[in-house]
């Protein structure tokens, strides 16, 4: 379970912000544990999951949790790059951490006033991959959604058919695909066919 995505709690310092978020998270962890004692729980961190460092020495009271960080090109390419590196590294040395959101594009359709997702494979994709793999933490790409969400992995309208993977230096679709294949050890040259199927809850579908 992920308890709350990208909390934004007030506080004068990173530690104070985390204390505020931690209090909320602990309440929800306790509720989840009363019904699901063994499930893995994802714990969000302050400022849209940008402040993860304080969790290293002040974790929630539960051992079966993973702490979340979100790092986009705005953060990685800024003057605060070392701050994010150090914070995530410290947290990962203390407990399980996942890069719960990463992604990039050079498509200005998905730009905004903060340029959060504007980056490319060379200045963001390859370095963030190396960082994640160096720490041995998990990661989840954002996102595979439609035209209202970005950075996108697939074309969803215009001259391109739905579901066409976006590839190239400034596209994360092909980059994410290559990373998945590399991690899995599966040869990309094999013929993979995905077939749609219907699944009814509670029914044994067989093979």
């Amino acid at each position: 379970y992920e308890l709350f995505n990208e909390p934004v709690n007030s506080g004068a310092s990173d530690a104070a912000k985390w204390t505020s978020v931690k209090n909320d998270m602990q309440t929800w962890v306790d509720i989840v544990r009363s019904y699901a004692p063994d499930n893995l729980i994802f714990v969000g961190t302050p400022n849209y999951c940008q402040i993860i460092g304080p969790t290293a020495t002040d974790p929630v009271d539960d051992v079966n949790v993973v702490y979340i960080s979100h790092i986009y090109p705005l953060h990685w390419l800024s003057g605060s790059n070392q701050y994010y590196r150090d914070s995530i590294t410290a947290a990962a040395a203390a407990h399980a951490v996942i890069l719960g959101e990463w992604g990039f594009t050079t498509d200005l359709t998905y730009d905004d006033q903060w340029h959060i997702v504007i980056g490319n494979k060379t200045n963001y994709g390859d370095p963030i991959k190396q960082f994640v793999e160096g720490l041995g933490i998990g990661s989840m790409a954002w996102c595979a959604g439609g035209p209202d969400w970005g950075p996108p992995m697939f074309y969803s309208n215009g001259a391109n058919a739905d579901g066409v993977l976006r590839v190239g230096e400034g596209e994360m679709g092909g980059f994410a695909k290559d990373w998945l294949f590399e991690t899995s050890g599966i040869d990309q040259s094999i013929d993979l066919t995905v077939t749609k199927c219907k699944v009814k809850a509670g029914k044994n579908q067989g093979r």
Side-chain angles (χ1 to χ4, degrees):
Y1 301 105
E2 181 173 357
L3 300 176
F4 192 95
N5 182 53
E6 296 192 335
V8 185
N9 292 40
S10 61
S13 65
D14 284 3
K17 290 184 173 96
W18 167 239
T19 296
S20 179
V21 170
K22 177 188 171 185
N23 290 338
D24 291 334
M25 294 294 172
Q26 190 66 62
T27 298
W28 300 329
V29 165
D30 294 343
I31 292 171
V32 170
R33 285 293 174 242
S34 68
Y35 295 96
D38 301 318
N39 289 70
L40 189 65
I41 295 176
F42 281 18
V43 172
T45 53
N47 194 38
Y48 305 96
C49 292
Q50 299 304 306
I51 300 172
I52 195 172
T55 70
T57 56
D58 187 23
V60 297
D61 184 18
D62 194 289
V63 296
N64 197 21
V65 300
V66 178
Y67 295 84
I68 302 172
S69 180
H70 294 174
I71 301 295
Y72 286 102
L74 172 70
H75 316 110
W76 189 259
L77 301 175
S78 72
S80 300
N81 177 288
Q82 196 61 48
Y83 165 83
Y84 294 111
R85 283 177 173 269
D86 292 346
S87 298
I88 296 171
T89 299
H95 41 235
V97 167
I98 189 168
L99 187 61
E101 288 187 20
W102 66 267
F104 65 92
T105 185
T106 52
D107 185 345
L108 295 181
T109 302
Y110 299 92
D111 190 21
D112 54 35
Q113 61 180 319
W114 296 291
H115 299 264
I116 292 173
V117 301
I118 301 303
N120 58 49
K121 179 179 179 293
T122 299
N123 65 17
Y124 170 81
D126 287 333
I128 202 77
K129 175 176 177 282
Q130 183 179 26
F131 178 64
V132 165
E133 292 182 337
L135 289 179
I137 64 176
S139 70
M140 293 186 287
W142 178 268
C143 67
D148 295 329
W149 295 94
M153 285 192 276
F154 298 92
Y155 289 107
S156 57
N157 54 20
N160 299 283
D162 286 352
V164 174
L165 194 68
R166 300 171 71 124
V167 299
E169 170 68 11
E171 302 290 359
M172 65 177 288
F175 179 83
K177 173 185 69 72
D178 291 344
W179 191 355
L180 286 171
F181 269 106
E182 179 184 320
T183 302
S184 70
I186 298 174
D187 185 352
Q188 286 202 53
S189 64
I190 67 172
D191 182 23
L192 293 177
T193 302
V194 177
T195 304
K196 291 183 179 180
C197 62
K198 293 182 179 180
V199 177
K200 294 182 180 180
K203 300 292 184 181
N204 183 0
Q205 300 300 309
R207 293 194 175 192

